[in-house]
Amino acid sequence: MHIKHLKIVNFRNYKSSDFDFSEGVNIIFGPNGTGKTSILEAIYFLGISKSFRTSSDRDMLSFSEEHFHVFGEFYNSKKQKLLVNFNYQKDVGKKAFVNGEKLEKLTEIIGKIPIVILSPEYENISSSGPLLRRKFLDRVISLTDREYLKKLIDYRNILRERNELLKDYQRKAFFDYDVLMEAIDERLVDCAVYIYTARRNFLREFRGIVRKEMEELSGRVRIYDMRLDRESLEEDYKDVLKKKLLENFPRDVAIARTTSGPHLERLSIIFDGKDIRDIGSQGEQKIALVAIKLAEAEFIYNRLKERPILLFDDVFAYLDENHRQNLCCKLVSGCQIILTTTDKGVLAYFSKDVTVEAIELDVA
């Protein structure tokens, strides 16, 4: 997959701008504050329907404007064209169109344009806590498994319904596990089993890819692993979770919150026997993060047979000289790459045989 053309109107600091990209390596140069990250944000928005910098679409509006427009012209590996439009209107919301057809649900765009993003503003899972790590799992699996995305959305809706009922029981001081709660738990467990299984199947494949990327990036073998709290697949997980929900019901009512289920799973990133968040130096954490992102791209390709677009925001600031060189050698392996940097010296890290498209931004 690659993007050939991007047009953004009233988006961040861009009133109306067009950008063209090559199928290979693209580097966006410019001082801080010139809108480099906003270009990556617009491309990511087209593929995911969300920003990686903010949870509010309104934040992407140019100052004093009422709407923004983002358009992208994409081509897949079969040279098929994909025209994606997003229109956002203040106080109304956003609408998405693919090849002129309006999407009934924004989630329909997920997986059509595979994208991997690495940015200081987004998902530093090597040093983050449980919530961001779960979000990483859910996002990557959802890109390649639409049933997982459906089950995840259903699970969150049912969980919200269960927690609202728990609040009602708390107000009434009602601590009897009744048929209404049992019916909700049946639906919750059905979704939870799929999520539980899919996450473990994902990690079985993904951890091996990460190890390979770590070795190639760092040039040495280290003990590295990714695992969830309960690593093995339990055939009786459905019964185990049902039992937990029943046993924890009095406590759940007391705090008006569900305390069992995949929404609380913890993902550990193990480096030489311990979680990298606890023992890894900043340099090790950054290398691990880059390796995870490269592994994410490889995993997506293995599942979709389509190379994702790599959006790397100021990635060279993460790495020392040796790792920069190793990364640039890896970035010419078939994916379209769009990098941002303030340093034109990064061109020296690419082989003379590699064509690099340079996009230079000036201070407005």
Side-chain angles (χ1 to χ4, degrees):
M1 181 66 66
H2 74 276
I3 181 170
K4 181 178 181 180
H5 182 75
L6 172 71
K7 182 177 183 65
I8 46 181
V9 177
N10 297 334
F11 188 89
R12 295 288 186 180
N13 58 330
Y14 291 100
K15 290 300 182 183
S16 181
S17 297
D18 292 81
F19 302 94
D20 292 305
F21 304 93
S22 72
E23 294 185 33
V25 179
N26 301 264
I27 303 182
I28 304 172
F29 296 103
N32 291 329
T34 52
K36 300 186 300 297
T37 302
S38 296
I39 297 173
L40 302 190
E41 182 182 27
I43 297 170
Y44 185 86
F45 185 78
L46 288 169
I48 308 296
S49 81
K50 296 179 181 179
S51 166
F52 62 82
R53 304 167 77 186
T54 177
S55 59
S56 173
D57 294 333
R58 186 174 294 194
D59 291 343
M60 293 179 280
L61 266 176
S62 296
F63 181 71
S64 77
E65 297 294 344
E66 296 292 319
H67 76 282
F68 69 71
H69 171 71
V70 184
F71 166 80
E73 179 183 343
F74 297 86
Y75 291 85
N76 63 20
S77 57
K78 297 178 181 178
K79 305 300 181 183
Q80 295 169 325
K81 184 189 293 186
L82 205 64
L83 302 177
V84 182
N85 281 278
F86 269 87
N87 296 316
Y88 171 81
Q89 185 73 36
K90 190 176 180 180
D91 299 325
V92 175
K94 58 194 170 189
K95 297 178 181 179
F97 301 83
V98 176
N99 291 337
E101 296 289 329
K102 182 184 176 183
L103 300 184
E104 294 303 317
K105 296 181 179 179
L106 292 174
T107 53
E108 292 177 37
I109 197 69
I110 304 297
K112 290 184 182 294
I113 304 168
I115 289 174
V116 173
I117 177 75
L118 172 59
S119 170
E121 299 185 46
Y122 183 66
E123 208 176 60
N124 187 356
I125 69 165
S126 61
S127 61
S128 64
L131 178 60
L132 275 182
R133 291 184 178 186
R134 279 194 302 273
K135 283 185 175 181
F136 166 77
L137 280 178
D138 292 338
R139 182 181 55 75
V140 179
I141 301 172
S142 294
L143 278 172
T144 60
D145 183 348
R146 294 205 64 81
E147 183 63 19
Y148 183 88
L149 178 60
K150 180 181 181 300
K151 292 290 187 184
L152 188 64
I153 292 171
D154 288 346
Y155 179 86
R156 288 171 177 169
N157 289 335
I158 298 166
L159 181 65
R160 194 176 300 113
E161 182 182 346
R162 188 181 198 271
N163 287 341
E164 286 300 319
L165 188 58
L166 288 171
K167 289 178 185 177
D168 185 52
Y169 287 178
Q170 184 191 60
R171 285 192 296 268
K172 297 175 180 177
F174 183 79
F175 288 88
D176 292 329
Y177 188 81
D178 62 2
V179 292
L180 180 56
M181 184 61 71
E182 184 179 4
I184 290 176
D185 284 355
E186 283 288 339
R187 293 158 52 215
L188 190 76
V189 168
D190 176 68
C191 296
V193 169
Y194 192 95
I195 294 167
Y196 172 91
T197 304
R199 284 177 177 175
R200 281 149 185 80
N201 288 338
F202 164 75
L203 284 178
R204 279 203 182 102
E205 179 179 349
F206 190 70
R207 63 165 62 95
I209 304 174
V210 175
R211 288 193 196 106
K212 177 180 73 72
E213 297 294 347
M214 280 284 289
E215 290 175 14
E216 292 179 0
L217 193 59
S218 64
R220 54 180 174 156
V221 178
R222 301 293 294 270
I223 300 172
Y224 188 82
D225 199 5
M226 300 178 76
R227 58 173 179 253
L228 290 160
D229 293 333
R230 305 170 70 90
E231 182 59 22
S232 60
L233 269 171
E234 298 182 44
E235 293 182 4
D236 61 344
Y237 175 71
K238 182 175 182 177
D239 295 331
V240 169
L241 183 55
K242 279 184 177 180
K243 184 179 179 182
K244 279 188 175 181
L245 290 168
L246 179 59
E247 289 177 348
N248 293 343
F249 176 72
R251 182 176 64 170
D252 289 357
V253 173
I255 63 175
R257 180 166 49 86
T258 303
T259 57
S260 303
H263 62 289
L264 296 174
E265 282 199 305
R266 300 173 68 90
L267 173 66
S268 298
I269 300 176
I270 308 300
F271 195 84
D272 286 348
K274 295 183 180 179
D275 195 292
I276 193 170
R277 184 181 58 230
D278 301 324
I279 67 163
S281 68
Q282 279 198 341
E284 289 170 335
Q285 289 178 2
K286 290 173 180 177
I287 293 166
L289 180 59
V290 174
I292 288 168
K293 289 300 177 178
L294 293 172
E296 181 183 337
E298 190 64 24
F299 175 82
I300 290 171
Y301 173 70
N302 290 345
R303 290 298 178 89
L304 300 182
K305 302 307 176 188
E306 188 73 52
R307 293 285 181 191
I309 300 169
L310 301 187
L311 306 177
F312 280 8
D313 189 17
D314 203 20
V315 66
F316 295 105
Y318 285 64
L319 307 171
D320 60 24
E321 192 84 9
N322 184 53
H323 289 106
R324 289 180 183 184
Q325 192 73 55
N326 290 346
L327 175 62
C328 288
C329 290
K330 292 185 64 60
L331 289 182
V332 293
S333 58
C335 291
Q336 182 185 40
I337 320 293
I338 305 177
L339 307 168
T340 69
T341 183
T342 59
D343 180 14
K344 290 186 178 180
V346 302
L347 288 169
Y349 295 114
F350 290 93
S351 166
K352 293 181 180 179
D353 299 330
V354 177
T355 301
V356 177
E357 182 75 19
I359 301 171
E360 190 158 0
L361 304 180
D362 297 319
V363 178

